[in-house]
Amino acid sequence: MADTKREIERKYEATEATEATRLPDLSRVAGVGQVVERGVTELDAVYYDTADLRLASHSLTLRRRTGGADEGWHLKFPVATGIRDELREPLADTLPPSFAALLRSRLRHTEPAPVVRLLSSRDVQHLNDPDGTLLAEVSVDTVLAERLAGEGAGTTATWTEIEVELADDGDPAFLDAVEKRLRKAGVRPSDLSSKLARAMSETTPVHDGKSRTEEAPQTAGDHVLTYVRKQIRTVVDLDPAVRRDLPDSVHKMRVATRRLRSAFKTYRRILDRETTDPVGAELKWLAGELGVDRDQEVLDQRLGDRTEALPGTLVLGPVRGRLKFWSAARRSGSRRRIIDVLDGKRYLDLLDTLDALSDDPPLRPAASRAPARELPRAVLKDYEKLARRMDHALEHPPGPERDAAMHEARKAAKRARYAGDAAGPALGKPAKRFAKRVKAVQTVLGDHQDSVVARDALRTLAIEAHAAGETTFTWGLLYGHEEAAADARERELPELWARASDPVLRADLKH
């Protein structure tokens, strides 16, 4: 596994004025006790990408660097403005297998090649507190960039910039104090987020005429495709996070696949179902594979929280131990299974298919019509399906049949909510208000379904405990709590549904 470092840094332009004085006296920054000169280091970094700069388009950085204390292969993923996760592997002649896996959703069948080389002379200072603990590293980098491939190959550029990188576990507020001092000295933040971005910008030929800008969506098809492409990108972007087992990454990727499937079903007048139905089937397969781990995770959290909420005097027998053992047995191998799925041909073929659909969408005649005409019709059709299922659920007395009917209503609510979300940018507040109220219904139905699943699990656990000669008191108590929770949700539902089914809400969508 590659070493990972959270990189929090800020970059500044070194103008002629600041180059003359190098850096202001940073010992006057609040909290700084020492400014330690660390000398000059020569760095040689080659940056890799595909011919169409696929990594750069996703704000990813892949480089092989020699020189300095951290020479080797580096892969950087954006986290937020000024924050990136940097993964490191030892120096080698070829791309490390771990990096190849993390980049598979972007690279697919393509090998990355050198695109830019940066030679940097780095003059480093350490800002320490009075006890000598490192607060931040400040460097003045003199850079020579050479474009190695693509448009502008052979072009060079030079510049000087200042970097301030926060120490591990440092307080980001310290960077504000340093910036305040730099600004007083006339230093200004850089317009570009990385050396690679600047190198690409300064070595790309400038063409005559205006640069092409992406046009705002106009037609119903434009809006649906914007939403679909956003979900496709989300799936691709989350692939490395799932491989790294980052929190909530599996859930977010699964949601994106569901949103895509839902959009294909809802907007069948926009996108030809002969093309989208087979893709939807593959998305359903992927969501199912991702759900194996996620569903168990949700159930574990629910049962664990219920158990911890009980007074200690009511937890009789090895309840926590049995829960832990039961969960481990059900999750055994699920993590490995997800990685196998992401490495498999079926998944990579799906990503290729999604790219093809995005590049050459199967638009139907209705796609060229006005959003205000086509999108409300699609949203309301999903609402009508939800209304039928809600009526069916609410007419049943409490029991297994009602539980099943509420689960079906939950799935319809999710689709109607996603339909409203997709239409939101075009239809504005009415669609957003509709989606918000349907989401409230979906949430209640979802919690009710979680209770149904939890009760089934608790019954199984009680049977296993009884067979082992353990008391089943606590399992029965937890079962009763879940029954009460489900009952409370069923009582909430009619009022929430009345708000979501308000005729005024639906009429607003049409105007």
Side-chain angles (χ1 to χ4, degrees), residues 14-25:
T15 62
E16 291 183 4
T18 57
E19 286 183 48
T21 58
R22 305 302 287 173
L23 285 171
D25 181 5

Side-chain angles (χ1 to χ4, degrees), residues 312-324:
T313 54
L314 298 181
V315 182
L316 306 182
V319 172
R320 293 182 179 87
R322 179 164 290 282
L323 266 176
K324 186 176 181 180

Side-chain angles (χ1 to χ4, degrees), residues 7-10 80-84:
E7 181 183 80
I8 303 176
E9 68 177 16
R10 298 183 187 178
T81 302
I83 303 176
R84 295 186 291 183

